[in-house]
Amino acid sequence: MENFTFLSPTKIIFGKDTELTVGEEIKSLLSQEYVPAGAIHPSSLTLRRTGKSPLRFKILLHYGGGSIKKTGLYNKIKKSLKEQGISAIELPGVKPNPRVSLIREGIKLCRKEKINFILAVGGGSVIDSAKTIAIGVPYKNDVWDFFTRKAEIKKTLPVGVVLTIPAAGSEASNSSVITNEDGFYKWGINSDLIRPKFAILNPEISYTLPTYQTSCGISDILAHLIERYFSPVENVDLTDRLIEGTFKSVIDNALIIKKNPKNYAARAEIMWASTLAHNGLLNTGRNIGDWASHRIEHELSAIYDIAHGAGLAIIIPAWMKYVYKENPKKFTQFAKRIWDIKEKSPIKATLKGIDKLENFYKKLNLPTSLSQAKIPEDCIQEMAKKCVQRGPVGQFKVLEKDDVLEILKLAK
Amino acid sequence: MENFTFLSPTKIIFGKDTELTVGEEIKSLLSQEYVPAGAIHPSSLTLRRTGKSPLRFKILLHYGGGSIKKTGLYNKIKKSLKEQGISAIELPGVKPNPRVSLIREGIKLCRKEKINFILAVGGGSVIDSAKTIAIGVPYKNDVWDFFTRKAEIKKTLPVGVVLTIPAAGSEASNSSVITNEDGFYKWGINSDLIRPKFAILNPEISYTLPTYQTSCGISDILAHLIERYFSPVENVDLTDRLIEGTFKSVIDNALIIKKNPKNYAARAEIMWASTLAHNGLLNTGRNIGDWASHRIEHELSAIYDIAHGAGLAIIIPAWMKYVYKENPKKFTQFAKRIWDIKEKSPIKATLKGIDKLENFYKKLNLPTSLSQAKIPEDCIQEMAKKCVQRGPVGQFKVLEKDDVLEILKLAK
C-alpha cells in the first residue's frame, strides 16, 4: 500500500426534501465565526448588518440551461434562500464541457456584487464551473493560469452544491475540468481547497432525468470505478473490495431503475455511489488510476456530439480487450468478484467479464461501438493522434498513438 | 434508504514514516488564518510572536502507559515537534476505560499553560481522553455535564492523533466514551465537532503490538462492522456491500498478520479498515446499528479483567445465535457474501456463517466462551440485570433482561 493523504470535508446532506434546507445550510456556514482554511472569511467581503436587521448574505446562484425551472427545483431553492434572508445574483447558462468564458463572466459578477458564496445547482459541469469561479474571485490575474500551472490555488470562495445528476462526482471531489474555447483545450485542476463545503443530494431530483441521461450517468460512475480499479500500483485489498462492492451495487440498482425510474431506494443507491466513486476514498493506498479511457473518450466527444457516459461505454470494453494481458490476474478478479464468473481459465474468465460489462451497457441502451454511435471510421487516425498529443496516455498500460489506434479499431 | 448527513473532515495521513510529519502538520494547522467552525481560533489563546522569532506553539502531548517510549515513537514525535518550534506539556497516564479524573486534570493543565492544541498518541482510550479534554477547556462548568446531557458541545480545542493501535476507530470518529469513577459510569458523547483534525496512521507502528492485542483490535473492528450491518432499518445495498468488503479484507489480512506480524501490506489494510469501520461511512443510509453486543460486553469487562475485543468474541456469536430469527435473510446474506457459504437452507447457511465467525476468532486465539475466559457462571444474573438498568439494549432485536440472560447462557 502506498502512502496517502485523504481529506474529504464536504458535508453530505442526503435524502428526501433536503434541498429545502439549502438556505439554512448556507446561513449556518456563513454565520460561523471561522471558515475552513484557505477559504475567504465572509466578513472580509460582504458580511454586513444594516441597522438592527439580521445578517444578510448575497450569493451567486449558478446553474445550467433552465431544466431546474421546469422541475420546480429553482423555486424551492429561491424560497429556501429567501426565508433565510439570502439574496441571490443569478448566473445561468452553464453548458456541458463548461467554458472559461462564462467563468470569467462569473468572476467579474462576484467581484462587482461582493458575493461571498457560490451555490451550484446542477451536475458536474455546473459544479466545475462554480469551483472555478470560486478560485478566480480572490486571484488577481486570469483564472486560466491555474490550468496552465502558472498559478497555485491558495484561496477560494466557499461553494455549496444541490446535485441534479448522479454522474461526475464533482459534488465532493477535489477536481474541476474546464474547456477553454480559445484553442479548445479541456484541462483540469486538483486541490483539496476546491472541495465543496456541502453537497445536497436528494435522489428524488433524479426521477425526472431522461432515461438516456440516467444511463450515461451510470456509465460515468462505473468508469470512475474502473479507472481506479485498474491501477498500475500493487493491489490494495480493501480499496479493491470497496470498489467491487460499489460496482455491484451500481449495476444491480441501475437495472432496477431501468424498470422503475421512480424507485427511491435504487435512485438513492446510485446517487450515493456517484459521490463515493469520485471523492478520493477509492484511490486510497495507490493514488493513481489509469484514465486512458477518459482521455480517448474525450477525443470522441470533442469531435462528435456524444455524451461522455455513452463514449465511455464504447471505449472501455475495447480498452479492456486491448490491455488485459498486462495483468490478467486483476482482470480475472474483476470477472470473478464483480460478475461472478466461475470459469477457471484466467483468459476465458477475463473475456467473459468484459462481455458481461458490454452486455450491461447494452441493457442500458448505451452504444458499445463507434458504428452504433454513428461515428465514421475515417476519423480514428486523427483521434489517436490528438489523444497522445501531450504524451502517452494511461497508467495500467502506457499507450502510444498506435495503441490508441488499435483500441479505436477494436471499438469499431 | 434513510436521510442522513455525513461529515468526515479528519485529514488522514497514512503510511510509512508519517509520524515524522506531526510537527509540520500541527504547525500548518495552527498557522492557518482560519480554523474549522466550532474550533477555537489559536490566536485567541497563545499564538504569539517574540520579537522576530518564528511563531511558537504550545501543545498538550497526551498518551498512555509509556509504551511509546519503549518503541521510540515518543522520541520521534518530540523531535518533530521541536523542529517546528512546538513545545509540549505532557500528560501521560491514560488507562483503558479512560477516566474523567485525568481529563479534569488535563483541562486544568491546558488552561494554566494556555494550550491551544492536543496531540493524542495512542489508541482509542488516549484519543477519547484527548477529545474530552478538548471540549472541557472552553466550557466553564464540569466536563461531565456533556455526558449527562446537561451541556451541549459547542466549542473545542483542535485535536490531532498519532495512532498506535488499529481497533477503536476513534481517530476519525465523532464519539468518545469515558468512565466516571464516581459510580463507575461508562458513558459516551457524539458530535462532529470532536472529530480529530488529523490522524497519522503508520502501519509499522502496529508491528510491536503483542499478538493478543492485535487480535483484540481486529475483533473490535469486526464488531464495529457487525453492529452496523445488523441494523433494524431496511437494507441499504451500497452500505451493506461496503461493510462486506471491509469485513472480508479484515479477515483475510488478519490471518496474514498471524503468520507474519511484520507484513506491511496486511498491517496497512487492517489499520485503514479500523478507521473506515467507525468514521460513520458505514452508517450512511440507515443511521442506527444494533450495539447490544457492545452493551453486554461492557458488563463483562466492567467486572472481569478482560480486553474489549476478547469480550466481543465471546458475546457476538452468542448474540447471533439468539437473534438471527429476527431477520434470517440478513443473516443468510452475511453467511453467503462474507463466508462464501453455498448452503441453500437459510437457517443452515446462517448457522454455518456464525460457525465460521466463531472459528475465525479461535484462529486468532481469542476466547469464544465465558468458560474459556475463566468467567464464572454465577455472575450472569447480575450482568444481565445491570446491562438493562437504563432500559432494554439493542436495535436489531430489542433485548430485555431475560434475553440478555439467554445470550450469556449461550456464551457459557
Side-chain angles (χ1 to χ4, degrees):
Chain A
M1 199 189 275
E2 288 192 340
N3 283 16
F4 67 87
T5 61
F6 175 56
L7 176 65
S8 179
T10 305
K11 180 179 177 185
I12 306 294
I13 302 152
F14 193 100
K16 292 178 184 172
D17 294 331
T18 45
E19 71 276 20
L20 305 179
T21 68
V22 65
E24 220 173 307
E25 202 57 45
I26 294 172
K27 190 177 173 186
S28 148
L29 194 78
L30 295 183
S31 306
Q32 284 166 3
E33 205 169 343
Y34 305 106
V35 293
I40 295 179
H41 192 280
S43 66
S44 67
L45 291 168
T46 61
L47 196 71
R48 45 187 172 179
R49 283 171 186 275
T50 319
K52 280 182 186 171
S53 75
L55 291 173
R56 291 192 68 83
F57 305 103
K58 198 195 267 181
I59 68 162
L60 184 74
L61 177 59
H62 199 36
Y63 55 97
S67 67
I68 63 167
K69 289 190 177 168
K70 282 183 216 143
T71 61
L73 179 60
Y74 174 86
N75 283 341
K76 285 183 191 168
I77 286 171
K78 289 284 279 189
K79 185 165 175 272
S80 174
L81 295 175
K82 201 179 165 193
E83 280 167 1
Q84 302 296 330
I86 299 165
S87 62
I89 305 291
E90 299 190 19
L91 183 64
V94 182
K95 288 185 180 139
N97 300 318
R99 311 300 162 97
V100 75
S101 54
L102 189 71
I103 287 163
R104 289 186 183 122
E105 199 182 309
I107 293 168
K108 271 186 210 159
L109 190 61
C110 285
R111 287 181 186 152
K112 183 179 153 230
E113 298 285 345
K114 294 193 172 157
I115 275 164
N116 54 20
F117 184 88
I118 301 174
L119 180 64
V121 182
S125 297
V126 174
I127 303 167
D128 283 2
S129 184
K131 285 172 170 176
T132 310
I133 294 172
I135 57 169
V137 175
Y139 178 65
K140 57 178 198 264
N141 295 319
D142 183 59
V143 71
W144 192 248
D145 289 355
F146 295 113
F147 294 81
T148 59
R149 308 290 183 260
K150 248 192 226 168
E152 195 191 331
I153 299 167
K154 286 185 180 161
K155 281 193 170 185
T156 177
L157 291 188
V159 171
V161 172
V162 178
L163 186 68
T164 58
I165 310 166
S170 182
E171 61 276 10
S173 84
N174 67 351
S175 59
S176 165
V177 178
I178 299 297
T179 295
N180 189 334
E181 306 93 309
D182 188 7
F184 270 91
Y185 299 103
K186 187 175 172 178
W187 286 358
I189 47 169
N190 285 275
S191 163
D192 279 335
L193 284 176
I194 66 173
R195 292 184 187 265
K197 302 295 168 268
F198 66 79
I200 291 177
L201 280 68
N202 177 356
E204 291 176 315
I205 293 176
S206 64
Y207 285 174
T208 51
L209 286 174
T211 310
Y212 187 68
Q213 214 177 341
T214 297
S215 295
C216 286
I218 288 162
S219 169
D220 198 8
I221 299 168
L222 292 185
H224 290 157
L225 298 172
I226 289 167
E227 300 280 25
R228 288 177 168 88
Y229 194 70
F230 294 100
S231 166
V233 179
E234 57 162 332
N235 252 20
V236 179
D237 183 49
L238 177 54
T239 302
D240 272 0
R241 297 265 181 205
L242 297 176
I243 294 177
E244 288 153 4
T246 310
F247 206 107
K248 281 178 87 82
S249 183
V250 170
I251 53 181
D252 288 352
N253 286 288
L255 298 177
I256 296 172
I257 290 175
K258 193 192 164 190
K259 279 193 193 160
N260 179 7
K262 294 198 175 177
N263 182 307
Y264 180 79
R267 286 280 187 187
E269 304 282 1
I270 295 287
M271 195 171 249
W272 188 210
S274 80
T275 305
L276 291 181
H278 205 51
N279 79 344
L281 174 70
L282 304 180
N283 271 356
T284 54
R286 55 187 174 217
N287 304 304
I288 55 167
D290 183 71
W291 302 100
S293 300
H294 268 78
R295 292 289 294 277
I296 302 172
E297 192 290 316
H298 166 51
E299 298 309 324
L300 281 192
S301 50
I303 306 182
Y304 303 100
D305 188 24
I306 183 168
H308 180 54
L312 289 165
I314 295 169
I315 298 301
I316 286 178
W319 173 83
M320 286 184 163
K321 287 170 199 162
Y322 188 72
V323 305
Y324 73 85
K325 284 172 192 154
E326 289 296 303
N327 186 348
K329 214 177 137 192
K330 191 63 183 272
F331 269 94
T332 311
Q333 182 181 311
F334 174 75
K336 294 197 167 176
R337 291 197 190 163
I338 291 179
W339 300 103
D340 301 316
I341 307 285
K342 308 289 179 205
E343 186 65 65
K344 279 189 183 166
S345 141
I347 302 299
K348 282 187 189 166
T350 293
L351 295 175
K352 279 197 177 176
I354 298 171
D355 205 45
K356 284 265 189 183
L357 175 65
E358 209 167 326
N359 273 324
F360 173 80
Y361 290 136
K362 285 177 185 161
K363 282 184 195 165
L364 295 190
N365 299 320
L366 292 170
T368 54
S369 67
L370 295 172
S371 57
Q372 276 173 37
K374 300 194 173 57
I375 294 174
E377 271 181 49
D378 51 7
C379 276
I380 65 174
Q381 279 282 354
E382 192 199 332
M383 285 195 279
K385 191 180 155 199
K386 277 190 69 189
C387 184
V388 297
Q389 212 165 21
R390 288 193 289 161
V393 297
Q395 301 278 351
F396 185 78
K397 179 176 169 70
V398 177
L399 306 175
E400 306 285 353
K401 188 195 147 190
D402 284 350
D403 301 303
V404 176
L405 195 62
E406 288 306 314
I407 290 168
L408 287 168
K409 281 182 189 168
L410 284 168
K412 285 201 293 195
Chain B
M1 200 188 276
E2 289 192 339
N3 282 16
F4 67 88
T5 61
F6 175 56
L7 176 65
S8 179
T10 305
K11 180 178 177 186
I12 306 293
I13 303 152
F14 193 100
K16 293 178 185 173
D17 294 329
T18 45
E19 71 276 20
L20 305 178
T21 67
V22 66
E24 220 173 307
E25 202 56 44
I26 295 171
K27 190 177 171 185
S28 148
L29 194 77
L30 296 183
S31 307
Q32 285 166 1
E33 207 170 342
Y34 304 106
V35 293
I40 296 179
H41 192 278
S43 65
S44 66
L45 292 168
T46 61
L47 198 70
R48 46 187 171 180
R49 282 172 186 273
T50 319
K52 280 182 185 172
S53 76
L55 291 173
R56 293 191 67 82
F57 305 103
K58 199 196 267 180
I59 68 162
L60 184 73
L61 177 58
H62 198 36
Y63 55 97
S67 67
I68 62 166
K69 289 191 177 169
K70 282 181 215 142
T71 60
L73 179 59
Y74 174 87
N75 283 340
K76 284 183 193 168
I77 286 171
K78 290 283 281 188
K79 186 165 174 270
S80 174
L81 294 175
K82 202 179 162 191
E83 280 168 2
Q84 303 296 330
I86 299 165
S87 62
I89 305 292
E90 299 190 18
L91 183 64
V94 182
K95 290 186 179 135
N97 300 318
R99 311 301 162 95
V100 75
S101 54
L102 188 72
I103 286 162
R104 289 187 181 123
E105 201 182 307
I107 293 168
K108 272 186 208 161
L109 190 61
C110 285
R111 287 180 185 153
K112 184 179 153 231
E113 298 284 345
K114 295 191 171 160
I115 275 165
N116 55 20
F117 184 88
I118 302 175
L119 180 64
V121 182
S125 298
V126 173
I127 303 166
D128 283 4
S129 185
K131 286 172 170 176
T132 311
I133 294 172
I135 56 169
V137 174
Y139 177 65
K140 59 178 195 260
N141 296 318
D142 183 58
V143 72
W144 193 248
D145 289 355
F146 294 113
F147 294 81
T148 59
R149 308 290 183 260
K150 249 192 225 169
E152 195 192 330
I153 299 167
K154 285 184 180 161
K155 280 194 171 187
T156 179
L157 292 188
V159 171
V161 172
V162 178
L163 186 68
T164 58
I165 310 167
S170 182
E171 62 275 10
S173 84
N174 67 350
S175 60
S176 165
V177 178
I178 299 297
T179 296
N180 189 335
E181 308 93 308
D182 187 8
F184 270 92
Y185 300 103
K186 187 176 172 178
W187 286 357
I189 47 171
N190 287 275
S191 164
D192 280 334
L193 284 176
I194 68 173
R195 292 185 187 265
K197 301 297 167 267
F198 66 78
I200 291 178
L201 280 67
N202 178 354
E204 291 177 313
I205 292 176
S206 64
Y207 284 174
T208 52
L209 286 174
T211 310
Y212 186 69
Q213 216 177 338
T214 297
S215 296
C216 286
I218 288 162
S219 168
D220 198 8
I221 299 167
L222 292 185
H224 290 157
L225 298 172
I226 290 167
E227 300 280 25
R228 288 177 167 87
Y229 194 71
F230 294 101
S231 166
V233 179
E234 57 163 332
N235 253 19
V236 180
D237 183 49
L238 178 55
T239 302
D240 272 0
R241 298 263 182 205
L242 297 177
I243 294 177
E244 288 154 2
T246 310
F247 206 106
K248 282 178 87 82
S249 182
V250 170
I251 55 180
D252 288 351
N253 285 288
L255 299 177
I256 297 172
I257 291 175
K258 194 192 163 190
K259 279 193 194 161
N260 179 8
K262 295 198 174 178
N263 182 307
Y264 180 79
R267 287 282 188 186
E269 304 282 1
I270 295 287
M271 196 172 248
W272 188 210
S274 81
T275 305
L276 291 181
H278 204 52
N279 79 343
L281 174 70
L282 304 181
N283 272 357
T284 52
R286 55 185 175 218
N287 303 305
I288 55 166
D290 182 71
W291 303 99
S293 300
H294 267 78
R295 294 288 295 277
I296 302 172
E297 193 290 317
H298 167 50
E299 298 309 323
L300 281 191
S301 50
I303 307 183
Y304 303 100
D305 187 26
I306 183 168
H308 180 55
L312 289 164
I314 295 169
I315 298 301
I316 285 177
W319 172 83
M320 287 184 162
K321 287 170 199 164
Y322 189 73
V323 306
Y324 73 84
K325 285 172 191 155
E326 289 298 303
N327 187 347
K329 212 177 138 193
K330 190 63 184 270
F331 269 94
T332 311
Q333 182 181 310
F334 174 75
K336 294 197 167 176
R337 290 197 190 163
I338 291 178
W339 300 104
D340 301 315
I341 307 285
K342 308 288 178 204
E343 187 64 65
K344 279 190 181 165
S345 141
I347 302 297
K348 281 187 191 168
T350 293
L351 295 176
K352 279 198 178 177
I354 298 171
D355 205 45
K356 284 265 191 186
L357 176 64
E358 209 167 326
N359 273 325
F360 174 79
Y361 289 137
K362 284 178 186 161
K363 282 184 196 165
L364 295 190
N365 299 318
L366 292 169
T368 54
S369 68
L370 295 171
S371 58
Q372 275 173 39
K374 299 195 173 57
I375 293 174
E377 271 181 45
D378 51 8
C379 276
I380 63 174
Q381 280 282 354
E382 193 199 330
M383 286 194 281
K385 193 179 152 197
K386 277 190 69 188
C387 183
V388 296
Q389 213 165 20
R390 288 194 287 161
V393 296
Q395 301 276 351
F396 184 77
K397 178 176 170 69
V398 177
L399 307 175
E400 306 285 351
K401 188 196 146 188
D402 285 350
D403 301 303
V404 176
L405 195 62
E406 288 305 314
I407 290 168
L408 287 168
K409 281 182 189 168
L410 284 167
K412 285 201 293 194

